Amino acid sequence: MSDTNRRPPSGAATLRADKTAAIAEAVLDELAEHGYGRLSMEAVAKRAGVGKSALYRRWPSKQRMVIAVVSELSVALVEEPDTGSLRGDVLAALHAVADWLTHPRFSRILPDLIAEAQRDEELFQALARCVGEPRRARAIGMLDRAAERGELPRDLDRELALDLLGGLVYWRVSARGAALEPGYFERAADMALRALGARPHGE
């Protein structure tokens, strides 16, 4: 019998998708309202309308629960842009970062998690591994395609390029709290292209 058709052993607990979804919503609400430091498994269970054991059947700790829920939604919000041109891809990427940072929940959750991570090395590493790295990995393809088209140097420092693209929006939105006024993304994209040494496709 294949793994996909194998039934769980008699008496084994099955994780109901609706309960998992309710717990995830409760985690996000608790993070947005109270922050990571004050979040508790008891509060999440009460908000989700489940027993605390339902949480521990899914995750062994508060940190693992938070990282799993935050990473699932954060990575899902990333779509690898492929517009056919580097400028189009950069514009799409900048908009995607802004959408993430201004998300009704994440605009309140992320600053708190980042602050907590500065004091908690394990949380810092978990966020980098489960949120930062998967999001960056999806953006690497944009740079690789641009290099294949001749729009970017093949020896481009991709890590630095991703820092530049993400930092343009992060610094403005999260660090400065400045508005993303009309034309900002176009100006930011053009500045980024100059900094990356981009050249028009086919030149």
Side-chain angles (χ1 to χ4, degrees):
M1 181 182 294
S2 69
D3 289 341
T4 55
N5 294 327
R6 186 178 292 119
R7 294 181 178 178
S10 177
T14 57
L15 301 181
R16 287 174 45 186
D18 59 334
K19 278 193 176 183
T20 301
I23 294 169
E25 289 293 308
V27 169
L28 294 172
D29 286 340
E30 285 291 316
L31 284 173
E33 291 181 21
H34 304 297
Y36 180 82
R38 294 175 58 194
L39 181 144
S40 69
M41 302 292 264
E42 290 84 357
V44 170
K46 182 178 180 180
R47 185 184 285 266
V50 300
K52 197 163 65 169
S53 61
L55 276 60
Y56 284 107
R57 281 199 295 271
R58 290 162 172 81
W59 308 284
S61 67
K62 163 183 159 176
Q63 184 190 102
R64 292 280 291 276
M65 176 181 68
V66 168
I67 292 296
V69 171
V70 170
S71 64
E72 182 173 357
L73 186 51
S74 293
V75 176
L77 288 173
V78 182
E79 291 187 9
E80 185 178 324
D82 188 5
T83 65
S85 74
L86 178 59
R87 188 175 189 275
D89 288 352
V90 167
L91 275 171
L94 293 176
H95 276 285
V97 173
D99 289 344
W100 183 47
L101 295 177
T102 58
H103 185 280
R105 279 173 169 159
F106 278 108
S107 61
R108 300 166 67 188
I109 292 171
L110 283 175
D112 174 73
L113 278 179
I114 291 171
E116 288 286 346
Q118 302 309 306
R119 299 184 288 268
D120 184 334
E121 178 64 20
E122 187 178 349
L123 177 62
F124 180 89
Q125 295 297 335
L127 283 172
R129 183 176 62 255
C130 299
V131 179
E133 291 175 11
R135 285 182 62 90
R136 290 170 73 88
R138 291 194 178 191
I140 287 287
M142 170 184 73
L143 302 177
D144 289 342
R145 286 191 300 273
E148 289 294 329
R149 292 191 300 261
E151 293 181 273
L152 286 175
R154 290 186 177 274
D155 61 352
L156 176 74
D157 186 332
R158 285 160 171 73
E159 289 298 313
L160 190 58
L162 293 180
D163 287 346
L164 170 65
L165 295 175
L168 281 169
V169 181
Y170 177 82
W171 187 258
R172 190 176 188 89
V173 172
S174 297
R176 291 184 56 212
L180 296 170
E181 73 275 2
Y184 169 76
F185 291 104
E186 288 75 14
R187 297 197 311 275
D190 290 338
M191 181 171 287
L193 293 177
R194 290 194 295 272
L196 296 175
R199 44 190 182 269
H201 180 34
E203 184 176 284

